[in-house]
Amino acid sequence: MEYEPVIGLEIHAQLLTDSKIFCGCSTKFGAAPNSNTCPVCLGMPGVLPVMNKSVVEFTMKMALATNCRINPVNRFARKNYFYPDLPKGYQISQYAYPLAEAGYVDVEVNGDKKRIGITRIHMEEDAGKLVHDERSPSSYVDLNRACVPLIEIVSEPDMRTAEEAAAYLRRLHEILVYLEICDGNMEEGSFRCDANVSLRPIGQAEFGTRAELKNMNSFRNVQRALEYEISRQQYVLESGGAVLQETRLWDDSEGVTHSMRGKEEAHDYRYFPDPDLVPIVISEEWIGEIAKTIPELPLEKRERFVREYDIPPYDAGVLTATRALADYYEETVKCSGMPKGASNWVMGDVLGHLKEDKLDITSSPVKPKDLGAMITLIEDDTISGTIAKEVFGEMWKTGNPPGKIIEEKGLTQISDSGALESTIDDVLKANPDQVGQYKSGKEKLFGYLVGQTMKATQGKANPKLVNEILKKKLSAL
Amino acid sequence: MKITKHEVEYVAHLARLQFDEEEKEKFTSQLNDILVYMDILNKVDTSGIEPTTHAIDLTNAFRDDIVKESVGTEVTLTNAPDKFGDCFRVPKVIE
Amino acid sequence: MEMNQLTIHELQKKIREGETTSLEITEALFKRIEAVEGKVNSYITLTKESALKEAEIADKEIEKGNIGELTGIPIAIKDLMCTKGVRTTCGSRILETFIPPYDSTVVKKLRGDGAVFPGKTNMDEFAMGSSTETSYFGITRNPWDLERIPGGSSGGSAAAVAADECIASLGSDTGGSIRQPAALCGIVGMKPTYGRVSRFGLIAFASSLDQIGPFTKDVEDCAIMMNAISGYDPNDSTSVPAEVPDYREFLSRGIDGWTVGIPKEYFIEGIDPEVSAAVEGVIKEVEKLGGQCREISIPHTEYCVTVYYIIAPSEASSNLARYDGVRYGFRSGEGRDLLDMYKMSRSDGFGAEVKRRIMIGTYALSSGYYDAYYKKASQVRALMKGEFERAFEACDVILTPVTPTPAFKVGEKLDDPLQMYLSDIFTLSANLAGIPGISVPCGFTESGLPIGVQFLAGPFDEGKLLQIAYAYEKNSKIEKRRPVL
């Protein structure tokens, strides 16, 4: 029998607010354990939560960016369960009244567009962190992360391949980062993903029994885990077995998923409305104000780049990977008037150097204004492409504008035909054999002679001019 | 019976409580009496009634996203029954 | 008269006139406490040393002329309001050693007003009870009859005022926990409108019902205390950002032309004849004062015990989940693994009544029962709230008994939870509807036990309650008595 996978994703994204969702403690990652804490996030007796307004607004942004309906009345509920990293014994979350519902995003897989539905987006607080000690029968609790704001984005079970799931995940990631509401760091846990996977015979409407996958902390792992789980379920079904409804953990080193069976218990979260928090009422005006702050999103930007700058979709994809990179590129285009040249330089040298120096585009020592100027200098033949490489290297090291570097190093292109003619005469004189062979039909040697001329001028000769003069002189011989 | 001893055990586990046999019997019978009494609510027609969670209607109580100083690790751990370094210590959590 | 026997306003006058000092008052108070505490057990924790220091500081302020209404006045705090650096137990073993790193908003306010804090008063464990018998720190006895309970859950705060072990005190009222002990101890107690007083720092029992309020020796003191503790608090999302009037201004306005509602559902069979006679007496007195008493109906009253005993335990089961032995409080040392640690800490740390309510609440919220219990109760609550709203369209205030009987004997109802729950029948509805209520002494039984009358008003109409309570207090011929200890 042919089976079809059905995949839904649950994504938790940490919001980039300065303070926690219900108290004023800092959300900064990497502080000493239990130092970003106060009676409220420690769940001390007597404390009360007060909602951070930015959390609502950030969530509204995500809702608008993913075409969701924003509910006019929102409530918080308590999700009750015991765990040492959960200070109050309940997590404040949203249950029956989430902030947003019924949205979608479009993704592209192998050139095909597909629409993935979003069931809901809701706000909640994160739990703390448990550290386990291999050598002692203890675990340690750090509550810095407790009460840090999260949004949970639940997709419809609309994905059919691991690739689609990965594409959807990337799309949400890039939107969150574009909106500047999440730093998207999967390793630090600010962007986390769980997956529900089931298989059903092709043509069947009902879903099969699903497994929930956890512990996948990179895009690659999500795809690998899904691929593994799909083939595992297929094997189970084909060998006449039944898939169990269970939680499975991805094991990165072994490349398999393991059942949590036995360690998991039936959940009965006893959700009820949190009496400590009042409903959030969201007006059309408020939604309008937030809508105004939403920037151009990656997909729209990509399409515009292809249209406006006439660059290949692949290049547009690379250049719009982050909002800062796209801004950098557009600024470079503006300063040079050369979209193609700008994309070559940004995708090549700029990204290369950034990677090498482990830098972020916002901290690039070469500013778009200077890169644009350099591209202009190539275009008007002030410098050659080869020299430009050298100039760029200097710009990267010093942060100086290209004009200054060219002047200091005397790198201006030789476009004076008089000076070039005598150099070329010297080159021809010094290479009588090659000239002879060229004349007898070995035209490939023309390149060699150009190279010798460039060498003699330390690369400063205008290559176009060299070509012209050399051709003229050779045919005159 | 509104509630069985088995259910009492399940609810106790959810609430992370434990009882000996005698207490379980007693709780089962007391809870049963209380739940039977509570049946009178069934006399009330509540169809279409929006439940009241808050006695006084308020909405949109917010704070601005401003960082306040935290209390610090020492204060955080002052009341801890067991701690190690900068952390609370608990019996091992098996994942 | 000893200084500790006077009211806030009497002491303030003496302080202003230089007839006494805060130190003198506080010392007299501790003399009294040392004499009677062995019999009454109003306090869990006494803070004599810091109280005397606070009194000295207050006296210095007074010398400088900085005299507020509470400067130098000893006020006892129910042991579920967090006090920075002073242990706050909630009457429970599970918090026996808990020292809060912060002050609750009300304590902060009183501290700012220069009040003196003699100690933390006894209470039913986690405020779950009507008799102050479920405290881990022993029972509190009624100063009028040591064989009897003082009411609860704020029994310590009520007994301390009645026994002159403090000048006034704070309690909390989730289903009558201020009004009922005030009535049984012969003093004034007010439960303000939900949201009038900040709950920040009040250890939660049932968050949608809890409200802090004062116990005082007379109605004027109640107004003074309400002035001190009321008001919006940005740390409590459910506190109401509305202006607070000067409650003293209401006191002498009289009630001429008022309509006073007498809900027939509150005058039921089983009510003690002496209680009902005393309340009848109040009705007559109110009419003499120019009020028109009119029978009204709050039909859903018969459901309030059920609604309350679903909603309050449900919220409590969640509020009390934080007591898990991880961050603070009692942890059982014998726990082998995490689950054991949880279960043993909680089972050994909580008393029987608390466990019973956690069980009821957990059950009512659990899968499959939510709609039948929690949701249904919340819907009936909505109906009750609506009935009160309509009642206050026609009435200025409502008049009812506070309790069906005077103080019962220690141990009488401890093993019959349902009977204990039914003793709250007249006070629960104010919490469910969020409205304010006041309990005012209205006489004694033949055997010398105090009886109280309750007035209820619409949301934020505390002023009206003080107005009628004051008028009644001034004009009724209730004999002034003191318990003999």
Side-chain angles (χ1 to χ4, degrees):
Chain A
M1 204 183 298
E2 288 276 325
Y3 290 101
E4 169 187 63
V6 174
I7 303 166
L9 299 186
E10 272 174 35
I11 289 161
H12 286 91
Q14 180 182 326
L15 296 179
L16 270 178
T17 53
D18 295 329
S19 65
K20 293 184 176 181
I21 181 168
F22 298 125
C23 68
C25 287
S26 168
T27 54
K28 271 215 182 76
F29 184 81
N34 292 304
S35 63
N36 287 345
T37 46
C38 74
V40 175
C41 55
L42 292 168
M44 287 226 167
V47 296
L48 295 169
V50 184
M51 182 68 195
N52 183 338
K53 192 175 184 187
S54 294
V55 172
V56 184
E57 301 196 328
F58 283 13
T59 314
M60 284 164 74
K61 282 189 191 191
M62 189 58 186
L64 290 171
T66 53
N67 311 294
C68 287
R69 178 186 81 227
I70 293 179
N71 289 324
V73 180
N74 265 256
R75 289 175 206 275
F76 281 99
R78 294 185 182 177
K79 179 181 182 179
N80 294 285
Y81 66 96
F82 286 87
Y83 211 64
D85 66 5
L86 189 69
K88 296 184 292 296
Y90 57 85
Q91 180 195 29
I92 303 178
S93 181
Q94 294 192 289
Y95 185 58
Y97 302 86
L99 187 129
E101 289 175 281
Y104 64 86
V105 291
D106 290 328
V107 299
E108 246 177 40
V109 181
N110 304 325
D112 295 330
K113 256 197 185 178
K114 176 154 184 181
R115 181 158 289 186
I116 310 289
I118 288 175
T119 315
R120 57 187 274 149
I121 301 178
H122 72 247
M123 307 174 273
E124 62 186 26
E125 59 178 338
D126 207 345
K129 202 174 79 181
L130 274 176
V131 184
H132 307 290
D133 187 338
E134 296 305 321
R135 291 152 300 166
S136 90
S138 304
S139 296
Y140 306 98
V141 188
D142 170 10
L143 295 174
N144 282 347
R145 209 179 59 191
C147 219
V148 160
L150 295 180
I151 51 175
E152 181 175 325
I153 306 161
V154 182
S155 82
E156 290 289 310
D158 283 350
M159 288 152 277
R160 296 290 170 267
T161 64
E163 241 181 328
E164 278 177 17
Y168 166 79
L169 195 62
R170 285 209 171 81
R171 170 56 37 85
L172 285 194
H173 183 267
E174 111 195 319
I175 293 173
L176 285 163
V177 173
Y178 253 70
L179 294 171
E180 292 171 346
I181 59 172
C182 173
D183 69 17
N185 190 326
M186 285 183 96
E187 272 155 40
E188 286 173 11
S190 28
F191 183 79
R192 316 196 273 265
C193 172
D194 299 334
N196 289 310
V197 202
S198 63
L199 259 53
R200 64 178 171 194
I202 285 180
Q204 181 183 302
E206 312 85 77
F207 297 140
T209 308
R210 60 161 202 234
E212 193 186 354
L213 304 188
K214 285 181 182 289
N215 200 34
M216 307 164 287
N217 58 358
S218 71
F219 290 111
R220 192 172 144 266
N221 281 343
V222 170
Q223 191 164 343
R224 283 172 70 207
L226 284 168
E227 278 162 1
Y228 172 85
E229 182 60 19
I230 289 165
S231 52
R232 185 191 71 84
Q233 290 189 14
Q234 184 146 5
Y235 175 79
V236 169
L237 292 172
E238 278 170 357
S239 47
V243 173
L244 297 175
Q245 181 159 351
E246 60 180 354
T247 302
R248 299 182 68 88
L249 294 183
W250 168 247
D251 184 326
D252 188 23
S253 55
E254 289 181 48
V256 297
T257 62
H258 286 301
S259 172
M260 275 182 77
R261 205 171 23 225
K263 292 164 195 164
E264 197 187 16
E265 61 176 295
H267 292 299
D268 189 342
Y269 289 127
R270 289 158 285 137
Y271 282 100
F272 75 104
D274 191 330
D276 288 333
L277 288 159
V278 299
I280 297 170
V281 173
I282 299 176
S283 64
E284 285 300 322
E285 286 104 295
W286 195 5
I287 296 175
E289 275 169 42
I290 297 300
K292 274 189 236 150
T293 68
I294 300 225
E296 185 183 27
L297 293 171
L299 192 63
E300 300 159 23
K301 205 183 270 281
R302 207 158 292 160
E303 287 169 355
R304 179 172 63 81
F305 276 21
V306 171
R307 205 169 55 235
E308 210 167 285
Y309 301 131
D310 195 25
I311 54 176
Y314 173 80
D315 294 15
V318 173
L319 292 170
T320 54
T322 70
R323 212 164 123 190
L325 182 62
D327 289 348
Y328 186 98
Y329 168 70
E330 287 207 275
E331 193 58 29
T332 309
V333 172
K334 218 167 85 189
C335 296
S336 65
M338 303 296 302
K340 188 64 202 164
S343 85
N344 287 341
W345 278 93
V346 173
M347 287 170 64
D349 291 66
V350 174
L351 289 183
H353 277 77
L354 286 175
K355 199 174 171 194
E356 204 166 294
D357 295 356
K358 296 195 170 67
L359 287 178
D360 186 75
I361 186 70
T362 51
S363 44
S364 164
V366 174
K367 300 298 164 211
K369 171 171 65 74
D370 296 330
L371 181 60
M374 195 195 79
I375 294 167
T376 313
L377 290 172
I378 303 170
E379 204 49 36
D380 68 10
D381 287 340
T382 309
I383 53 173
S384 65
T386 326
I387 292 289
K389 294 264 178 203
E390 194 183 332
V391 172
F392 184 86
E394 261 327 284
M395 287 164 73
W396 194 268
K397 249 186 270 170
T398 61
N400 287 333
K404 196 176 171 203
I405 291 166
I406 290 165
E407 197 189 302
E408 275 173 12
K409 299 215 152 195
L411 294 172
T412 319
Q413 190 154 249
I414 303 168
S415 300
D416 169 359
S417 46
L420 269 182
E421 287 201 26
S422 70
T423 309
I424 290 173
D425 286 341
D426 294 345
V427 169
L428 295 178
K429 240 182 261 169
N431 296 288
D433 291 358
Q434 284 81 357
V435 172
Q437 285 176 31
Y438 174 80
K439 292 299 281 183
S440 56
K442 259 199 151 180
E443 286 189 8
K444 266 194 186 160
L445 281 165
F446 184 77
Y448 171 80
L449 294 167
V450 170
Q452 290 301 303
T453 310
M454 294 307 285
K455 204 171 156 191
T457 60
Q458 286 113 45
K460 285 186 275 182
N462 179 335
K464 235 159 85 191
L465 213 54
V466 171
N467 272 315
E468 260 169 48
I469 298 172
L470 197 59
K471 247 186 206 143
K472 192 182 76 196
K473 287 203 183 264
L474 282 167
S475 59
L477 280 175
Chain B
M1 287 293 272
K2 300 288 287 184
I3 186 166
T4 62
K5 200 174 98 185
H6 180 71
E7 276 181 296
V8 166
E9 284 166 352
Y10 169 73
V11 172
H13 174 70
L14 275 183
R16 297 296 181 269
L17 292 171
Q18 62 188 15
F19 300 108
D20 61 30
E21 280 307 309
E22 195 188 329
E23 283 175 315
K24 268 185 226 166
E25 300 286 348
K26 192 171 159 190
F27 263 125
T28 308
S29 115
Q30 281 177 342
L31 290 183
N32 203 56
D33 289 349
I34 292 165
L35 293 172
V36 166
Y37 179 82
M38 285 176 175
D39 268 350
I40 63 163
L41 276 197
N42 296 332
K43 291 199 288 179
V44 188
D45 177 11
T46 52
S47 42
I49 304 292
E50 190 62 30
T52 288
T53 312
H54 296 90
I56 301 298
D57 294 324
L58 284 176
T59 57
N60 293 8
F62 296 126
R63 44 174 277 273
D64 290 329
D65 182 24
I66 294 166
V67 175
K68 280 197 196 156
E69 212 182 321
S70 295
V71 293
T73 308
E74 199 190 318
V75 173
T76 295
L77 297 173
T78 303
N79 284 288
D82 190 14
K83 61 191 166 193
F84 183 78
D86 288 342
C87 289
F88 299 98
R89 179 156 59 188
V90 294
K92 190 158 204 138
V93 178
I94 303 143
E95 279 188 274
Chain C
M1 287 276 262
E2 297 294 332
M3 285 302 151
N4 59 300
Q5 294 182 316
L6 302 179
T7 63
I8 298 173
H9 57 94
E10 287 165 347
L11 286 170
Q12 269 307 324
K13 192 157 170 280
K14 287 193 185 294
I15 288 173
R16 277 170 203 280
E17 290 167 0
E19 283 178 39
T20 189
T21 64
S22 176
L23 193 61
E24 207 174 281
I25 300 165
T26 309
E27 278 170 345
L29 194 79
F30 275 99
K31 216 174 109 197
R32 173 69 174 174
I33 289 172
E34 276 143 32
V36 303
E37 197 39 18
K39 298 179 196 163
V40 183
N41 193 32
S42 298
Y43 287 93
I44 291 175
T45 303
L46 285 162
T47 49
K48 184 174 178 182
E49 209 176 305
S50 58
L52 292 173
K53 256 185 226 145
E54 286 155 1
E56 279 171 21
I57 293 167
D59 283 334
K60 278 192 195 123
E61 289 301 312
I62 291 161
E63 263 173 50
K64 285 190 244 165
N66 298 333
I67 316 178
E69 287 193 295
L70 294 177
T71 312
I73 305 294
I75 295 168
I77 308 292
K78 185 176 180 182
D79 205 19
L80 50 34
M81 285 164 241
C82 285
T83 39
K84 190 173 180 173
V86 175
R87 82 167 173 160
T88 300
T89 69
C90 230
S92 182
R93 181 185 192 189
I94 214 156
L95 285 177
E96 189 177 2
T97 59
F98 174 64
I99 297 176
Y102 75 103
D103 266 335
S104 48
T105 298
V106 282
V107 167
K108 205 181 258 179
K109 277 179 178 249
L110 295 181
R111 223 184 266 288
D113 288 344
V116 170
F117 299 104
K120 306 294 291 286
T121 58
N122 200 12
M123 54 182 284
D124 280 301
E125 186 181 7
F126 281 97
M128 296 176 188
S130 313
S131 63
T132 316
E133 291 170 290
T134 68
S135 169
Y136 179 66
F137 302 91
I139 59 176
T140 296
R141 290 171 184 274
N142 192 318
W144 296 93
D145 179 350
L146 296 174
E147 295 298 300
R148 290 174 190 271
I149 57 101
S153 64
S154 313
S157 285
V161 172
D164 296 316
E165 292 184 276
C166 63
I167 309 304
S169 64
L170 287 185
S172 67
D173 190 316
T174 305
S177 284
I178 291 174
R179 290 159 290 154
Q180 184 251 24
L184 302 188
C185 289
I187 58 172
V188 175
M190 177 181 273
K191 178 205 105 71
T193 309
Y194 186 81
R196 174 96 288 182
V197 179
S198 169
R199 293 187 295 118
F200 186 77
L202 169 73
I203 300 182
F205 160 17
S207 312
S208 80
L209 305 164
D210 296 340
Q211 191 63 190
I212 292 169
F215 286 101
T216 56
K217 294 173 185 177
D218 68 11
V219 177
E220 186 172 346
D221 275 8
C222 183
I224 293 170
M225 288 292 285
M226 282 301 293
N227 280 347
I229 62 173
S230 299
Y232 171 67
D233 177 8
N235 289 322
D236 175 0
S237 308
T238 62
S239 92
V240 176
E243 237 176 89
V244 180
D246 178 355
Y247 287 115
R248 279 181 105 157
E249 286 181 2
F250 290 88
L251 295 176
S252 47
R253 288 182 184 172
I255 57 160
D256 195 27
W258 276 25
T259 306
V260 177
I262 315 289
K264 60 178 184 202
E265 293 81 6
Y266 284 66
F267 293 83
I268 46 165
E269 262 181 67
I271 186 166
D272 183 281
E274 283 185 296
V275 170
S276 101
V279 175
E280 296 292 338
V282 181
I283 293 173
K284 286 197 192 92
E285 189 63 42
V286 164
E287 294 205 309
K288 261 195 263 167
L289 291 166
Q292 280 205 336
C293 294
R294 210 172 83 186
E295 185 181 278
I296 61 164
S297 173
I298 311 282
H300 282 94
T301 299
E302 65 168 308
Y303 305 108
C304 71
V305 173
T306 307
V307 170
Y308 179 86
Y309 280 97
I310 291 171
I311 290 173
S314 296
E315 293 182 7
S317 71
S318 172
N319 284 333
L320 271 59
R322 69 189 61 195
Y323 307 104
D324 57 4
V326 175
R327 283 147 289 115
Y328 45 75
F330 177 79
R331 179 193 285 193
S332 165
E334 306 157 67
R336 291 177 299 276
D337 62 19
L338 185 70
L339 191 62
D340 268 356
M341 190 274 275
Y342 278 150
K343 289 190 173 178
M344 293 174 85
S345 301
R346 289 168 62 78
S347 296
D348 297 346
F350 290 134
E353 181 60 25
V354 171
K355 284 187 267 193
R356 180 153 45 233
R357 298 210 197 179
I358 291 176
M359 290 289 288
I360 297 172
T362 306
Y363 177 80
L365 290 175
S366 68
S367 173
Y369 295 105
Y370 179 86
D371 283 357
Y373 290 101
Y374 187 81
K375 189 178 170 205
K376 182 85 180 179
S378 301
Q379 287 174 312
V380 180
R381 183 179 182 186
L383 293 172
M384 289 178 50
K385 202 180 148 211
E387 285 173 0
F388 275 102
E389 277 161 18
R390 282 189 292 284
F392 288 117
E393 282 165 17
C395 306
D396 292 282
V397 294
I398 289 172
L399 185 162
T400 80
V402 185
T403 55
T405 65
F408 46 87
K409 289 228 162 103
V410 170
E412 194 179 315
K413 296 185 183 177
L414 200 53
D415 251 349
D416 189 348
L418 200 49
Q419 278 313 303
M420 187 76 98
Y421 298 171
L422 287 169
S423 71
D424 298 333
I425 191 155
F426 301 140
T427 48
L428 299 174
S429 53
N431 301 79
L432 292 167
I435 58 172
I438 191 169
S439 171
V440 187
C442 69
F444 293 88
T445 63
E446 216 171 298
S447 60
L449 294 173
I451 301 168
V453 63
Q454 170 173 251
F455 298 107
L456 302 172
F460 305 103
D461 266 344
E462 285 85 354
K464 278 188 172 174
L465 295 180
L466 292 162
Q467 203 170 331
I468 190 166
Y470 188 81
Y472 170 73
E473 182 188 67
K474 282 283 157 257
N475 292 285
S476 67
K477 305 285 176 298
I478 305 294
E479 179 194 351
K480 284 269 174 212
R481 294 189 204 171
R482 278 180 192 282
V484 183
L485 281 163

